[in-house]
Amino acid sequence: MDTETDPRSCPFGYPQKDAAAIIGIGASAGGSAALETFFENCPTESGAAFVVIQDIPTKHESLTAGLLAQRTRMPVEMIEADTRPRPDHVYLNPPGTVMRIEKGVLRFTPCDEGQSLPIDSFFTSLAEECGDRASGILLSGTGSDGTRDRGRPA
C-alpha cells in the first residue's frame, strides 16, 4: 500500500499533508454554547484536525458550522463526502449520520433512528485508526453516548 491509501505506512505515522492529531469532540444538539467557547479558545495553528460529532436527527438542520465559523479562524466544513482530515480544519457530521474514520478518511453513513450512538461510534473508530494521534473530548451527549469503554486501557 502507498501512503495515499494507508497513512499508517508513513514514517512518523502520517503523511505530512495530513493532520498530526485528530481531535474528536462529542456534543449533543444542545451543546452549541460549549462548542463555541471551546473554539474561541482553541489555537488555530496546532496542526490538529477537529471532528465535531453531534447527534442531530435527519429532519433537523444543523446551524453549528455557521456558528463555529464565527468563533475560529480555522475552516469549518460540514462533511458531504469522504474526506481526508487536514491540519487546522474543523469538520462536522451531517444531521442523521454516523461518522467513522477509516484508512485516514472521514466517512459517514445514515444512522438508524433511535439506535445509534454517533459519538461512541466515532470515538471507537478514532482510537482504532489513529491510536496515540487520537484524542476525544465529550462536551455533552445524549444519555450515555460518548461514555462507552471510557475506562478501557489503550
Side-chain angles (χ1 to χ4, degrees):
M1 294 185 145
D2 65 19
T3 59
E4 291 300 311
T5 58
D6 188 356
R8 293 171 292 181
S9 65
C10 297
F12 310 112
Y14 58 93
Q16 293 221 336
K17 65 183 176 183
D18 286 353
I22 310 290
I23 313 299
I25 304 171
S28 64
S32 295
L35 283 168
E36 289 177 46
T37 300
F38 177 84
F39 283 105
E40 284 173 348
N41 295 285
C42 184
T44 58
E45 296 180 4
S46 67
F50 297 87
V51 182
V52 176
I53 304 298
Q54 291 188 288
D55 188 5
I56 299 175
T58 305
K59 58 187 173 258
H60 291 91
E61 180 182 354
S62 174
L63 304 175
T64 306
L67 293 171
L68 295 184
Q70 297 174 18
R71 302 293 192 252
T72 181
R73 291 184 290 136
M74 290 184 279
V76 178
E77 176 182 341
M78 180 80 65
I79 299 292
E80 295 180 5
D82 289 354
T83 302
R84 183 174 294 278
R86 296 180 55 207
D88 305 318
H89 283 65
V90 179
Y91 300 96
L92 292 94
N93 67 312
T97 64
V98 174
M99 188 154 33
R100 297 185 53 80
I101 186 164
E102 298 170 347
K103 295 186 178 179
V105 175
L106 297 171
R107 303 178 196 278
F108 66 89
T109 57
C111 67
D112 297 327
E113 293 295 326
Q115 297 296 318
S116 67
L117 296 172
I119 299 169
D120 276 333
S121 179
F122 184 74
F123 282 0
T124 299
S125 73
L126 182 63
E128 291 171 358
E129 175 72 17
C130 299
D132 62 359
R133 293 189 313 114
S135 291
I137 300 170
L138 183 62
L139 296 178
S140 58
T142 301
S144 63
D145 192 13
T147 63
R148 187 178 64 191
D149 295 333
R150 64 188 162 127
R152 186 179 73 183

